Amino acid sequence: MRVINIAIAAALIAGASHVYAQQMSSEEFVTMAASSDMFEVQSGQLAAKNSKAASIQQFAEMMVADHTKASQELKAAAGEAKVTVPTQMIDKHATQLGKLQNAQGEAFDKAYIEAQVAAHQEALKLMQSYAQNGDSEPLKAHATKASPIVQRHLEHVQKLAGQ
C-alpha cells in the first residue's frame, strides 16, 4: 500500500490531474516533502563543493540552509500530525542526485541548475496543492508557510538559468 501511496504522490509531483491533490494523504505529502528537502540539502552540498561559479555556490548554500530548516519544520508538523518522516529519498530524487554526483565542471553547473528549476517547480505544486487540499492542519500550515519560500527559490534559480 505504501508503494501505491508514493506512486500517487509521485504522479502528483509529475503534474498529474488536480484530483490527486485532493486525495493526497498526510503520509504521501510528508514522504514527498521530506524527499524534496533531502534532495535540496544533498545536491546543495554537492554544488557548494563542485561548482566553480560563485552565484551557484551561493544559491547552493542558501538551499542547504533553507531546506535544512524546512526539514526541521516538517518534522515538527509531522510529529503533531502523528506521521513518520522518511529518512531516505524517493527513487526519483536519488536518481537525480546520482546524475549530479557523476557530472563535473560546466556540465555539473548546467545539470544542477536544470535539476533545481524542475525540483522547485514540483515542490511549489506540492506545497500549494497540499495547503489547499491537505487532510492535516499542522501539515497544511507547514505547506502554506513553505510555499512563498519555494516560490522565491524558483524565481532565483530561474534567474540563474537565464529564464
Side-chain angles (χ1 to χ4, degrees):
M1 184 66 179
R2 180 165 162 76
V3 172
I4 293 170
N5 288 343
I6 292 172
I8 291 170
L12 168 68
I13 296 304
S17 73
H18 190 65
V19 173
Y20 284 122
Q22 294 172 343
Q23 297 173 351
M24 180 176 272
S25 71
S26 300
E27 291 80 9
E28 292 163 340
F29 171 75
V30 169
T31 295
M32 296 306 296
S35 182
S36 178
D37 283 337
M38 285 183 262
F39 174 74
E40 291 301 332
V41 170
Q42 292 178 35
S43 65
Q45 291 167 337
L46 202 58
K49 184 175 70 176
N50 291 350
S51 180
K52 303 295 184 229
S55 60
I56 293 175
Q57 289 173 340
Q58 290 168 351
F59 178 79
E61 289 168 4
M62 181 176 66
M63 292 305 94
V64 172
D66 288 358
H67 286 278
T68 297
K69 182 178 179 188
S71 195
Q72 292 166 345
E73 292 172 353
L74 175 65
K75 286 177 186 167
E80 284 183 57
K82 300 188 179 3
V83 176
T84 303
V85 179
T87 58
Q88 293 187 343
M89 282 181 247
I90 62 170
D91 288 344
K92 176 183 179 178
H93 291 142
T95 299
Q96 288 174 327
L97 186 63
K99 288 178 183 174
L100 289 174
Q101 290 168 332
N102 293 324
Q104 294 183 12
E106 288 182 25
F108 174 85
D109 288 351
K110 184 177 187 300
Y112 177 71
I113 294 299
E114 287 174 1
Q116 290 301 301
V117 170
H120 282 90
Q121 287 171 337
E122 292 171 354
L124 186 58
K125 285 180 196 173
L126 174 70
M127 294 300 163
Q128 289 174 337
S129 293
Y130 196 83
Q132 290 283 318
N133 304 304
D135 61 359
S136 165
E137 288 307 316
L139 293 171
K140 283 177 73 168
H142 171 74
T144 300
K145 180 179 177 185
S147 288
I149 297 166
V150 174
Q151 178 71 45
R152 282 195 302 273
H153 290 171
L154 177 58
E155 290 167 3
H156 188 156
V157 77
Q158 285 173 328
K159 286 179 187 169
L160 288 175
Q163 295 182 359

